[in-house]
Amino acid sequence: MKQISSRFSIAVHILSLVAVTPDPCTGDYLAGSVNTNPVIIRRITGMLKKAGLIDVRPGVGGATLRVSPDDITLLMVFKAVQAASEGELFHFHDNPNPDCPIGGNIEALLRAEMRAAQEAFEARLASVTLRKLLEGFKPHLGAELRVP
Amino acid sequence: MKQISSRFSIAVHILSLVAVTPDPCTGDYLAGSVNTNPVIIRRITGMLKKAGLIDVRPGVGGATLRVSPDDITLLMVFKAVQAASEGELFHFHDNPNPDCPIGGNIEALLRAEMRAAQEAFEARLASVTLRKLLEGFKPHLGAELRVP
DNA sequence: TTTAGTTGTAACCAATATGGTTATAACATA
DNA sequence: TATGTTATAACCATATTGGTTACAACTAAA
């Protein structure tokens, strides 16, 4: 199966690092931590910026949080980073035969179940804020952690 | 975003049709209802067969349910049809830098959240049986419906 | 003003998954 | 044996993804 793009985990990584770092984070710095190409980072920071989650300063460089870690949920990150396909997790097969007793009726019913499953998925992501996630770091980082 | 393969919706369509049809369903018949190529159908019935959900008779032809519609959940279908990638919905980015304060710690925490979201998703799919889905047809089909 | 470092994009590329198609072997029954 | 079916291999076109190079635009400091 084709999995959900690693853009999501990278985006959470970026936001966590930006939240914890006192100074603005440059793309190259982020790329070093995530361990990927700076352009990948810029593509994702661009999406996060467009979603209003971060500020990125062109020219001088550096990204900073635009929203409090209390108000950023994993679902917001997920949506910010997906962008396409109407945000639908499932793909329904095209044009089932309407003359068939099932084909004509299954679509609405199954679609409703798919939507319900996606909603359960999204509700769980929505229940976790960036702050809550970062709390988990504290035991490891001690005083180093600096979340506004 | 890359969506979940339509194999899932096709598989549910197939199982519904097999459950409702008194006689064994041939691949060509199923292909006509789903509106796709018979080979696509055979690929999917092969997966459903391997998962123990249906019987398919080579040579003579025709698929029948091997398990009661009460005991087939959408999650079973989902898993039967995905097969690959360890059943993991999310893809975590590779090798975050362990020297970074976040990179070294984020993985386990975020992975746990991803797993929780996937579990919520799967729990919802597990709560719906094929029978329950087929109940929804009744108003439309009336006496035509024939579920064992 | 010039320079250096950065962000923002465009343009590719390789790898992979997907849905589709054709062809052929294996199979079971009349 | 003949017929219709399933099983499977071998392709193909398309799309997404992660990666890369290249270059324009931008900002601040020298």
Side-chain angles (χ1 to χ4, degrees), chain A residues 11-143:
Chain A
V12 176
H13 188 148
I14 289 173
L15 289 170
S16 302
L17 199 44
V18 168
V20 165
T21 305
D23 304 311
C25 298
T26 67
D28 282 19
Y29 174 60
L30 292 168
S33 176
V34 172
N35 189 27
T36 185
N37 191 288
V39 177
I40 303 293
I41 299 295
R42 277 179 239 153
R43 283 211 273 246
I44 296 176
T45 53
M47 294 176 185
L48 295 174
K49 183 184 177 185
K50 197 170 292 180
L53 300 181
I54 61 174
D55 280 318
V56 182
R57 299 183 303 176
V60 53
T64 49
L65 284 193
R66 188 179 174 74
V67 179
S68 159
D70 292 299
D71 298 327
I72 299 180
T73 66
L74 291 188
L75 179 59
M76 291 167 70
V77 182
F78 186 80
K79 289 194 169 173
V81 130
Q82 302 296 318
S85 293
E86 313 264 327
E88 294 290 334
L89 225 46
F90 285 98
H91 175 38
F92 201 96
H93 59 287
D94 300 319
N95 311 316
N97 183 347
D99 295 336
C100 143
I102 296 297
N105 295 289
I106 194 180
E107 187 158 344
L109 293 166
L110 184 51
R111 272 190 197 278
E113 295 303 332
M114 291 166 155
R115 209 171 303 123
Q118 178 168 352
E119 274 162 18
F121 171 87
E122 294 187 349
R124 189 59 181 72
L125 288 183
S127 74
V128 181
T129 63
L130 185 56
R131 163 88 64 185
K132 208 168 152 190
L133 191 69
L134 293 173
E135 299 285 332
F137 290 165
K138 281 189 175 163
H140 307 281
L141 297 176

Side-chain angles (χ1 to χ4, degrees), chain B residues 5-7 36 39 43 59:
Chain B
S5 165
S6 64
R7 258 174 289 152
T36 185
V39 178
R43 285 212 272 246

Side-chain angles (χ1 to χ4, degrees), chain B residues 25-102:
Chain B
C25 297
T26 69
D28 282 19
Y29 173 62
L30 292 167
S33 175
V34 171
N35 189 28
T36 185
N37 191 290
V39 178
I40 303 293
I41 298 295
R42 277 179 238 151
R43 285 212 272 246
I44 297 176
T45 52
M47 295 177 184
L48 296 174
K49 182 185 177 184
K50 197 170 293 181
L53 299 181
I54 60 173
D55 281 316
V56 183
R57 298 184 303 178
V60 53
T64 50
L65 284 194
R66 186 178 175 76
V67 179
S68 157
D70 292 299
D71 297 327
I72 298 180
T73 67
L74 292 188
L75 180 59
M76 291 169 68
V77 182
F78 185 80
K79 289 194 168 172
V81 130
Q82 302 296 317
S85 293
E86 313 266 325
E88 293 291 331
L89 224 47
F90 285 98
H91 174 37
F92 201 95
H93 59 287
D94 300 318
N95 312 317
N97 183 347
D99 295 338
C100 145
I102 296 296

